[in-house]
Amino acid sequence: MQDVQEAKALVRAHYQALDTAPIDHIAEILGHRMSDDCLWRGFHPFNERTSPSAVAETFWSPVRQSLARMQRREDVFFAASNHNMPDGDIWVVSMGHLMGLFDEALLGIPATRKIAMLRYAEFNRVSDGKIVETAMYCDLLHLMRQAGIVRFPDQTAAHLVQPGPRPHDGLLYDAEDPAEGAKTLAVIDRMIFAVDAANENPDARTPRDEMRENWHDDMLWWGPEGIGATYTIDRYIEQHQAPFRRGIADRSFNGHVARLAEGNYGGFFGWPNLTLTNAAGFMGIAANAVRADMRVIDIYRREGDKLAENWIFIDMLHFLKMQGVDVLGELM
């Protein structure tokens, strides 16, 4: 338990220093708590970087330059060992929004001089007092929508600036009962198994029967821009699951880099999680035969013995670019 709390303290200090650092000192600040050869993964076009200076130059300096007077609006924070390596390093998870005044263009997304909120979720692996691995996923399509660029007007669910957990209890700064985290991880694992079973035999159960085993009927699914957010099992099936399963074929699960839970919260990420084919048209993109990857972070809230909320980050820009649709290139 002490290792978990030490890792949390390290990451919280990292965020405090990073969020208040002058832009020209960001690389130096990152170097205080990130290892020199850290592996950092980000959504397209950031991708993989391997040093604090590269992370600063590629991601944090441009973001801080664009979002003036940035604040971290954190909604979820938890830590635990990786389910895939239970005796290994601790992973610390943070999710929320990076909020600021969108005063300078970012990657061709035009500035608005208005408040903007960039959805993010981040996993940090801590080893020997340093952050040695990071997955920092942020929803650039969502930021584009705030700037008035509606690239996917026919998305099946709702565009929202997404709130944190309904009970406002997602910041697990203090130690939690390990038994509660084990319950959360068990429900997440059971849900993954149900999805895999549905992929193997889609006719074995109805989508509603599949869902209600692991989800509350009033579940909230906070999906990425291009798909959107939806509420209740029935509307989730209508507004995401059914369009996704109609459009997508030959899904291959590639595994998770990390999957963990603490208290009522848990999540995972992959690089990539899934490889699949847009076989019948998805997100308004014509059907094609390309095998495309989905890099995904999922964050969950458990309530009782079922899941109540799910926040999803998918690297849509990378997924679409593999199919020949360069959304950021269209802005140039």
Side-chain angles (χ1 to χ4, degrees), residues 211-223:
M211 292 287 296
R212 67 185 179 183
E213 177 184 357
N214 299 304
W215 295 89
H216 288 283
D217 186 67
D218 62 348
M219 55 90 79
L220 284 153
W221 193 82
W222 303 107

Side-chain angles (χ1 to χ4, degrees), residues 35-173:
S35 65
D36 292 341
D37 59 350
C38 63
L39 173 59
W40 186 96
R41 299 180 176 99
F43 277 1
H44 176 80
F46 307 116
N47 299 305
E48 290 188 350
R49 307 291 158 176
T50 54
S51 71
S53 60
V55 175
E57 179 181 356
T58 301
F59 182 78
W60 280 113
S61 293
V63 168
R64 284 281 308 280
Q65 190 71 39
S66 295
L67 295 177
R69 303 188 64 172
M70 193 195 82
Q71 292 183 3
R72 184 182 299 268
R73 309 284 292 193
E74 191 173 51
D75 294 311
V76 173
F77 183 90
F78 63 91
S81 60
N82 186 356
H83 175 68
N84 298 333
M85 299 181 63
D87 297 324
D89 299 328
I90 300 300
W91 287 81
V92 183
V93 180
S94 174
M95 187 204 79
H97 293 83
L98 303 176
M99 185 199 79
L101 297 170
F102 195 4
D103 282 354
E104 293 192 21
L106 178 65
L107 300 170
I109 304 171
T112 64
R113 301 194 70 256
K114 298 177 182 178
I115 188 173
M117 301 186 78
L118 178 61
R119 297 180 67 228
Y120 83 90
E122 184 175 73
F123 282 57
N124 283 295
R125 179 164 69 92
V126 176
S127 181
D128 295 328
K130 290 280 189 176
I131 296 168
V132 297
E133 188 173 354
T134 297
M136 175 61 179
Y137 291 6
C138 60
D139 195 339
L140 291 171
L141 281 177
H142 192 263
L143 183 66
M144 286 173 58
R145 182 73 171 258
Q146 293 172 69
I149 302 172
V150 185
R151 179 60 179 79
F152 299 98
D154 297 327
Q155 73 174 34
T156 50
H159 165 79
L160 295 171
V161 173
Q162 300 179 5
R166 184 183 180 192
H168 303 283
D169 63 353
L171 299 175
L172 308 187
Y173 296 143

Side-chain angles (χ1 to χ4, degrees), residues 232-249:
T232 75
I233 285 177
D234 287 340
R235 296 298 171 89
Y236 168 81
I237 293 170
E238 173 190 336
Q239 296 171 357
H240 171 58
Q241 187 193 74
F244 183 82
R245 291 186 177 180
R246 282 196 302 267
I248 297 300

